[in-house]
Amino acid sequence: MSLEDRRSASVRAVLDTAPPPVVPAELCAEAMRRGGRALGWRRVVRRTMWCVLVVAALAFIVWASMARPWVEPPSRTTPPLTGW
């Protein structure tokens, strides 16, 4: 007997001996309510994260346009005077 046959036989034995468990009638409604609440929270979190991302991108754009980090800052010392 192979491993798969032994597993199948043990599952059949368990199913034949024990009656199926009784599922409460309100279980489906409770699961639907909880699932809907979880989906609502996911939607709120997703929208919040998108808003944070957009605000961060706008803040970066404003900062970059004001600070201009790509431009070399002016020299703080004057070049030496030559030719006099």
Side-chain angles (χ1 to χ4, degrees):
M1 187 181 260
S2 70
L3 178 63
E4 186 176 336
D5 291 337
R6 280 186 287 196
R7 284 185 185 170
S8 178
S10 65
V11 167
R12 279 194 194 110
V14 168
L15 290 176
D16 288 341
T17 57
V22 178
V23 177
E26 67 276 355
L27 183 65
C28 179
E30 181 70 17
M32 293 289 289
R33 186 181 63 80
R34 286 185 181 186
R37 190 183 318 158
L39 286 176
W41 275 110
R42 284 183 187 163
R43 188 178 304 124
V44 167
V45 168
R46 192 178 310 123
R47 285 183 181 169
T48 303
M49 292 303 291
W50 274 109
C51 287
V52 167
L53 179 68
V54 167
V55 167
L58 287 175
F60 175 77
I61 290 170
V62 168
W63 171 80
S65 67
M66 297 296 223
R68 303 174 100 194
W70 56 88
V71 176
E72 187 176 329
S75 177
R76 293 188 183 258
T77 61
T78 59
L81 237 130
T82 58
W84 276 61

